[in-house]
Amino acid sequence: MRDDSAAAVDGRADRAVAEARAQRLLVIDFGSQYTQLIARRVREVGVYCEIHPFDVPEGFVAEFAPRGIILSGGPETVTEGSTPRIPDQVFAAGVPVLGICYGMHAMAAQLGGAVEASSHREFGHAEIEAEPGDALFDGLTDGGRLPVWMSHGDKVTAVPPGFAVTARTGSAPVAAMADPARRLFGVQFHPEVTHTSRGTDLVRRFARGICGCAGSWTPGHIAEEAIAAVRAQVGNDRVVLGLSGGVDSSVAAALLSRAIGDRLTCVFVDNGLLRLNEREEVEAAFASGGNALNLDLHTVDAAEEFLAALAGQDEPETKRKTIGATFIDVFQRTAERLPDVRWLGQGTIYPDVIESAASKYGKAHVIKSHHNVGGLPERMRLSLVEPLRDLFKDEVRQVGMALGLPRELVYRHPFPGPGLAVRVLGEVRREYLGVLRRADAIFLEELRRADWYDRVSQAFAVYLPVASVGVVGDARRYEHVIALRAVETTDFMTARWAELPYELVGRVSSRIMNEIAGVSRVVYDVSSKPPATIEWE
Ligand code: XMP
C-alpha cells in the first residue's frame, strides 16, 4: 500500500516526466543495426525519443508532434524501387530532419537528388572535410576535419534542389548535405556509434541546438516512466524475478520493488558457475533484514544439478542451452511454490534483445542465444515484465543510481547469465572452475588495488584447457592456460581491449602461476570487438 505522500510525490514526478517527454524526437527506423544506438544518443543528450518503423500509419507524425525527426540507416538500397521510402508526413511536419546513411540516401532520392550504387562498400574509419558555417558541424570540427565511422554501399551523387554539400571525404563527394532553409540535413556516416568521436555532440547539436529541445530528460525520468509502466502493466498482480546479483537484474529488482513493493519475490539460483564468494556477496547485498532494498529473496542451491547436466558437453551453444533449460527447471520448481504469481520480471536490456532476436526486420542474424530471453514464460504460463528492455548498459546504471542503489553494485562489471561456463572453453569441469575462480579473483583483486577496476568496463579470466608446456624445477609439465581479458566500452556492442600497464599484467600473471597449481601460462587478450566478442565462449 502506498500512502498519500508517496502518491503526491508520484504525481509531481508524473508531471515532470510528461513535461520533459513533450519535447521529443521521432526516430524513423529503416532497419539499421544501429537504430537503438541513435535513440540512446538522443536520450544521452537529455531528450526523449521513440523509434517507429518507416511505415507508420497516416497522421502518426502530426499526432506524435516531434520537435525533430531522425531517419536511421538501413540494409537496403534506394537504387531499387521496392525498398522503403520516407513517408510524406515526415516532410509535411515542418520540423528539422536528420537523415543518416540510408536515411540520407532516401532523402536525396525523394527530394530530387541522385543516388548511385557504389562498386565497393566503404566501411570503417574515415575523415570528413566539413564546409565552414554549417549548422550541424560548426564548432565541432578540428579545422573542418572530423573523424567519423562509415558503413555504406550507395552514395549521393547529386544533392536535391535547395541543398548544399556540407562535407566530403576522398571517396564520398557528398559525405553530408543540408538545406538550411527547410532545416533538412543528411550525413553519410554514423554519428551514433562511438567511433565517430564527436558523434554525441553532433546529436546534441541536432536535438538541442537545431530542434530546440531543452534537454531535461534524465535517468530519473526514465526510472519514473518505467515504474509507471510496470504499475500499468502488472496492476495488483505478484511478480517473481530471477536475481543474479548482476547489474541488470539488480536494477530490474529495485525498479520493480519501487513499483509494486512486497508483491515482488526474487529468486537467486546458485548454478555452481558463479565467481569466488559471489553467492555470499549477493545474499549479503539483498537478503531480507539489514539491506537497503529489503527484497524477499529465496536462494536455491542447484550447483550439482547444473554441473551434472553440463557433463560431457563441449559445444558452446549446447552448453548455453543446457544451462538455460536447467535454469528454467530450477526456477520453475521454486516459483511454483510461491502463491499467485502471474508475472516474470527480467532484467533484459536492449543488447540482449538485439543479439538474440535481431531487429524487427529480421536483418541482423542471431549471434548467440541468451538464456535470459524466452523459454520460461510459456512453460510457466507467466507474462513477461522487462522494464529495462529498451535501455543500454550505461543507461541501466544511471537508472540504478537514480533509484538509490549502492555505487559498488551499480558499477560492477557485467557477468553473463551462463556464468563461468562461457569462460571455461569446452567441457565445464569442477576442477577447471576451481582454478578459474581463483585466477579471476586474483585478476580482479589486482585491478582494484591498482585502481584499474573502474577504468575498464569488464575484466575477467578465461580457462583454456589446452596443454601447454611449462618448466617446474628441471621437469617439463604440460598444464593449462589462463587468458586475461579486459575491455573498454560504453555500449558492449563494440569494445576495445584495455591497455593495462605491463607491470600490472605481469603481477597478475606471476601471482596466478605461483598461487594456483595447474596453470603453465597466462596470456593477455588483445582483440577488439568486432570482430572478436567480449566473452571467449
Ligand atoms: P559478447 O561476448 O557478446 O558480450 O561480446 C557482450 C556482453 O554481454 C555479456 N554476455 C551475456 N550476458 N547472458 C548475459 O546476461 C549471456 O548469455 C551473455 N553472453 C555474453 C558479456 O559478458 C558482455 O558484457
Side-chain angles (χ1 to χ4, degrees):
M1 268 292 139
R2 288 153 54 218
D3 62 22
D4 285 350
S5 62
V9 169
D10 285 347
R12 277 202 300 281
D14 289 349
R15 267 197 306 285
V17 171
E19 276 163 24
R21 199 167 56 177
Q23 302 192 7
R24 53 177 59 189
L25 293 198
L26 172 62
V27 178
I28 295 277
D29 184 19
F30 288 104
S32 161
Q33 58 175 330
Y34 299 135
T35 303
Q36 287 285 348
L37 276 179
I38 300 173
R40 183 225 130 113
R41 292 274 167 253
V42 173
R43 295 194 292 263
E44 194 177 339
V45 302
V47 175
Y48 178 81
C49 73
E50 286 182 23
I51 297 173
H52 290 269
F54 63 88
D55 54 356
V56 287
E58 200 48 56
F60 173 85
V61 177
E63 196 179 314
F64 187 78
R67 294 220 169 169
I69 299 171
I70 299 181
L71 310 170
S72 86
E76 314 270 8
T77 168
V78 295
T79 60
E80 282 170 20
S82 58
T83 50
R85 291 293 179 267
I86 306 163
D88 290 340
Q89 46 177 323
V90 163
F91 299 115
V95 296
V97 179
L98 171 63
I100 295 173
C101 198
Y102 186 91
M104 170 189 180
H105 302 155
M107 197 188 260
Q110 288 175 243
L111 297 179
V115 179
E116 282 175 21
S118 296
S119 50
H120 68 285
R121 271 192 86 75
E122 189 180 359
F123 177 77
H125 289 285
E127 190 172 73
I128 60 163
E129 191 78 49
E131 292 294 325
D134 174 65
L136 198 57
F137 298 120
D138 213 25
L140 299 181
T141 64
D142 177 10
R145 286 186 304 276
L146 187 70
V148 299
W149 182 258
M150 291 283 191
S151 173
H152 64 100
D154 299 347
K155 45 175 126 167
V156 174
T157 48
V159 299
F163 278 77
V165 176
T166 52
R168 49 196 105 231
T169 70
S171 58
V174 187
M177 62 180 197
D179 176 345
R182 284 188 289 172
R183 297 185 298 170
L184 303 179
F185 302 84
V187 292
Q188 176 66 83
F189 59 89
H190 290 274
E192 68 276 27
V193 306
T194 48
H195 305 287
T196 295
S197 55
R198 305 287 308 262
T200 306
D201 292 330
L202 277 171
V203 171
R204 181 181 294 110
R205 171 65 56 79
F206 180 72
R208 295 177 56 175
I210 295 172
C211 301
C213 297
S216 50
W217 184 249
T218 64
H221 290 134
I222 298 176
E224 293 301 341
E225 188 188 52
I227 288 166
V230 166
R231 286 183 187 145
Q233 193 180 0
V234 309
N236 289 321
D237 295 341
R238 298 190 70 87
V239 178
V240 61
L241 173 110
L243 184 68
S244 69
V247 182
D248 305 342
S249 65
S250 301
V251 174
L255 214 147
L256 284 161
S257 157
R258 271 278 304 278
I260 60 167
D262 60 8
R263 282 180 285 121
L264 172 71
T265 300
C266 295
V267 174
F268 173 50
V269 175
D270 179 353
N271 57 10
L273 304 165
L274 302 174
R275 288 166 292 188
L276 200 65
N277 301 329
E278 187 151 21
R279 172 173 168 174
E280 294 74 13
E281 283 167 16
V282 170
E283 285 176 342
F286 290 103
S288 299
N291 71 80
L293 287 171
N294 214 25
L295 293 177
D296 178 22
L297 178 67
H298 296 235
T299 302
V300 191
D301 186 348
E304 293 305 322
E305 195 170 336
F306 277 84
L307 294 182
L310 282 168
Q313 292 192 9
D314 57 8
E315 206 276 315
E317 275 296 301
T318 322
K319 281 162 60 180
R320 278 179 176 276
K321 292 211 166 86
T322 302
I323 293 165
T326 312
F327 178 81
I328 288 173
D329 284 346
V330 173
F331 191 88
Q332 187 173 4
R333 282 202 307 267
T334 313
E336 274 168 0
R337 280 190 240 121
L338 305 170
D340 301 332
V341 172
R342 297 269 311 277
W343 296 84
L344 176 68
Q346 283 195 331
T348 316
I349 69 170
Y350 181 70
D352 302 335
V353 178
I354 185 94
E355 293 204 351
S356 289
S359 84
K360 258 186 231 155
Y361 302 101
K363 294 295 175 192
H365 58 277
V366 176
I367 298 172
K368 72 175 91 136
S369 60
H370 276 262
H371 90 269
N372 43 350
V373 180
L376 197 52
E378 296 82 34
R379 272 186 46 182
M380 292 184 62
R381 291 199 215 94
L382 293 177
S383 308
L384 267 184
V385 49
E386 297 177 303
L388 311 176
R389 201 180 158 84
D390 291 335
L391 302 181
F392 286 83
K393 197 88 189 183
D394 53 332
E395 296 181 296
V396 170
R397 291 200 161 112
Q398 290 167 358
V399 166
M401 292 301 284
L403 288 167
L405 287 176
R407 197 180 181 288
E408 316 81 75
L409 184 72
V410 167
Y411 281 89
R412 242 182 140 186
H413 292 171
F415 185 61
L420 297 182
V422 298
R423 298 179 181 169
V424 172
L425 299 201
E427 186 183 355
V428 180
R429 296 198 189 159
R430 197 181 301 269
E431 63 273 22
Y432 297 172
L433 286 170
V435 170
L436 177 60
R437 269 192 195 105
R438 293 175 58 203
D440 189 69
I442 289 173
F443 186 26
L444 295 187
E445 185 183 314
E446 291 296 336
L447 279 177
R448 286 206 174 87
R449 192 172 286 163
D451 261 344
W452 266 90
Y453 184 86
D454 283 334
R455 291 164 71 180
V456 298
S457 316
Q458 196 170 8
F460 51 87
V462 182
Y463 191 91
L464 310 185
V466 286
S468 168
V469 72
V471 189
V472 180
D474 290 335
R476 290 163 74 78
R477 273 225 306 251
Y478 290 87
E479 292 175 325
H480 290 166
V481 180
I482 288 287
L484 306 176
R485 177 88 164 129
V487 295
E488 291 170 7
T489 173
T490 47
D491 53 39
F492 291 82
M493 292 171 89
T494 60
R496 267 181 229 266
W497 61 275
E499 295 188 31
L500 297 181
Y502 281 167
E503 185 220 336
L504 169 59
V505 177
R507 195 160 53 241
V508 175
S509 161
S510 48
R511 273 197 63 194
I512 290 175
M513 285 194 288
N514 288 337
E515 295 175 29
I516 310 174
V519 180
S520 63
R521 205 169 286 272
V522 173
V523 297
Y524 187 59
D525 181 353
V526 290
S527 343
S528 287
K529 172 183 180 175
T533 54
I534 295 173
E535 300 291 346
W536 278 49
E537 293 265 11

